[in-house]
Amino acid sequence: MMRRTTWIVLGVFVVLLAAMLFWQRTKQANAPEPTPVAATEGEFLLNLGNAAVARLTVQNAEGATVVLERSEEGTWRIMQPEVAAADGAAVDAGITQLLALRILSTPSSVPSLDVVGLDAPAYRILIDLDDGKQVAVNIGKATPTGSGYYVLAPDRIVHIVGKYGVDAITKLADVPPLAPTATPEVIPTP
């Protein structure tokens, strides 16, 4: 026969075990669920198919607008603020960054547009394609971590995209990509 103290210790152990299991289950039931993210994570923000960019308009919040247009020869020209030859490499680099923007996340519950800076966007980008279609993207505020921006995509959904790709295209509005001027050749005098 077991002693009375052994039964008491065994009973206390069973009660403590039951209490611990109950506490763990209630803790798991009250745990917050992770914020669901849409299935678009990792996809490109823009999918233009086989169309090419024929005209690009980038406007910042202050109203400074740069309009870039591709000629039939494939060279870029600045049409606004004043007509000038554009640095094709800088324009192509900005467009490549824009087309390569990947969606980092899509918030399941987006705050109002004024909170993420999309009621009056920091930048508006209008892309005219060679097939006649237009694509618009609005760039809002930076995310709280500073690693991305809120954007209102053509699908009218707010996404978060990477910071550096956005900075490459918005730089075109802040500093128009003028073509480098040729340095005149110096001819020595005899």
Side-chain angles (χ1 to χ4, degrees), residues 25-117:
R25 288 191 183 199
T26 58
K27 183 178 167 184
Q28 288 175 352
N30 293 336
E33 292 184 30
T35 304
V37 176
T40 58
E41 184 175 329
E43 291 181 9
F44 289 110
L45 179 68
L46 300 173
N47 184 4
L48 304 181
N50 292 330
V53 177
R55 185 179 176 107
L56 178 71
T57 305
V58 183
Q59 180 181 27
N60 66 17
E62 291 80 37
T65 303
V66 173
V67 178
L68 301 157
E69 193 171 282
R70 186 186 305 254
S71 69
E72 290 181 11
E73 296 83 35
T75 59
W76 287 98
R77 295 202 39 85
I78 299 173
M79 304 307 286
Q80 189 180 339
E82 59 187 52
V83 177
D87 181 0
V91 175
D92 286 337
I95 290 173
T96 300
Q97 289 292 323
L98 177 65
L99 297 179
L101 280 176
R102 289 198 178 269
I103 297 171
L104 299 178
S105 67
T106 303
S108 61
S109 61
V110 179
S112 63
L113 292 181
D114 61 329
V115 172
V116 294

Side-chain angles (χ1 to χ4, degrees), residues 112-188:
S112 63
L113 292 181
D114 61 329
V115 172
V116 294
L118 289 168
D119 62 332
Y123 292 92
R124 295 174 194 256
I125 300 168
L126 182 63
I127 304 165
D128 292 314
L129 303 175
D130 60 359
D131 63 2
K133 294 181 183 174
Q134 284 188 333
V135 178
V137 177
N138 290 336
I139 310 291
K141 291 181 180 177
T143 58
T145 61
S147 62
Y149 287 100
Y150 292 100
V151 298
L152 186 61
D155 58 6
R156 306 302 296 162
I157 297 174
V158 175
H159 300 288
I160 297 173
V161 296
K163 176 184 184 347
Y164 298 108
V166 172
D167 288 345
I169 194 72
T170 58
K171 184 173 113 176
L172 296 176
D174 300 330
V175 182
L178 294 171
T181 56
T183 307
E185 184 179 331
V186 178
I187 301 174

Side-chain angles (χ1 to χ4, degrees), residues 1-7 10:
M1 283 256 149
M2 292 209 294
R3 293 185 144 181
R4 183 183 213 177
T5 56
T6 306
W7 283 108
L10 185 60

